[in-house]
Amino acid sequence: MSIKEQIIRDLKLSEKRLKHTFGVAKCARELALRHYPHLSADKMEIAALLHDFTKEYSLDEQKALCEKYNIYISPDEALSPKLYHAKTAAAIAKYVYGLDKEIESAIYYHTTGRAGMTDAEEVIYFADYIEENRTDKACVDVRNYYLAQLSAEKDPIVALKKGILYSLDTTIKYLIEEGQYICASTIEARNHFIKYLSHTKGTGI
């Protein structure tokens, strides 16, 4: 049995979450092939399959995994329990499936992003946002914006990074409107992409 088959067998998710997970896997493969052909599309698909592995665990189950794998949750991060699943799923990838750092970090940062994201981290973060099964307005807007940038920009990397920046802006606006905690790494990620795009011809949002 391949590692991919084993992971699919082990997924214990609701029908809706499973559909999303397979959508992210498909999108991650497409993004890797389009923008970062040096990445293994197979590895990106595996990372995507694992990214929400613990998403539907209870908070107590999440905390138990954090204790088991020595995962640090800062007092600020504890204000947003939905941040736990990225860290615990990354630990599952490392300790249960023996996967490498590239996959682990792509899962770890898929919810918050961070400044200086690796190519793999960008792929999983953005695939999670724009996969075809996500129909809420924010995700549809970001997906359409990204597709428009692919047509408008000569450099597909610029199109991708503009799409990611737009998604970060969308997330931050939503969290502000909802009065929710904003992870510092999300703000740092936004500033990083602003700086990157300021040195290219594709700076307009």
Side-chain angles (χ1 to χ4, degrees):
M1 182 184 297
S2 69
I3 188 69
K4 176 182 173 181
E5 291 170 333
Q6 183 180 352
I7 291 168
I8 291 173
R9 181 201 64 184
D10 293 343
L11 288 172
K12 301 295 187 292
L13 299 169
S14 65
E15 183 177 349
K16 181 179 179 180
R17 182 62 52 185
L18 198 58
K19 183 177 181 181
H20 164 69
T21 294
F22 289 132
V24 177
K26 176 184 176 184
C27 188
R29 174 175 285 277
E30 292 170 350
L31 290 174
L33 292 171
R34 179 182 298 136
H35 297 289
Y36 296 125
H38 63 279
L39 293 175
S40 164
D42 290 339
K43 283 179 66 176
M44 293 303 94
E45 187 175 5
I46 287 171
L49 288 171
L50 283 166
H51 86 285
D52 274 355
F53 193 89
T54 61
K55 179 76 172 183
E56 295 177 335
Y57 285 21
S58 69
L59 184 56
D60 285 343
E61 289 173 320
Q62 299 281 4
K63 289 180 177 179
L65 285 176
C66 288
E67 184 175 351
K68 179 179 180 179
Y69 295 120
N70 296 313
I71 299 168
Y72 176 69
I73 302 290
S74 72
D76 288 343
E77 289 173 326
L79 295 172
S80 184
K82 64 183 179 182
L83 298 181
Y84 282 72
H85 82 278
K87 296 188 175 187
T88 54
I92 294 293
K94 177 180 180 180
Y95 294 110
V96 175
Y97 295 103
L99 298 171
D100 63 23
K101 184 67 176 177
E102 184 176 55
I103 290 176
E104 180 192 357
S105 70
I107 297 169
Y108 192 94
Y109 292 106
H110 84 266
T111 300
T112 63
R114 66 165 173 164
M117 292 167 74
T118 67
D119 297 343
E121 290 166 8
E122 288 186 6
V123 165
I124 301 304
Y125 170 87
F126 202 49
D128 183 33
Y129 216 108
I130 67 165
E131 65 92 3
E132 62 188 6
N133 297 306
R134 299 197 72 165
T135 57
D136 53 291
K137 184 179 184 302
C139 293
V140 172
D141 285 349
V142 171
R143 185 164 61 238
N144 288 340
Y145 177 84
Y146 161 69
L147 293 174
Q149 296 310 306
L150 278 180
S151 298
E153 291 287 347
K154 293 181 179 179
D155 185 347
I157 298 297
V158 170
L160 173 65
K161 292 183 184 290
K162 288 182 71 175
I164 294 173
L165 174 60
Y166 189 72
S167 73
L168 290 163
D169 284 346
T170 300
T171 296
I172 290 169
K173 288 176 184 175
Y174 170 79
L175 292 173
I176 290 172
E177 289 170 358
E178 295 295 313
Q180 295 186 27
Y181 169 76
I182 303 174
C183 186
S185 63
T186 301
I187 297 171
E188 292 165 1
R190 179 188 183 272
N191 289 339
H192 177 87
F193 284 102
I194 288 284
K195 291 177 183 178
Y196 174 90
L197 289 168
S198 71
H199 293 93
T200 71
K201 295 180 181 179
T203 56
I205 300 293

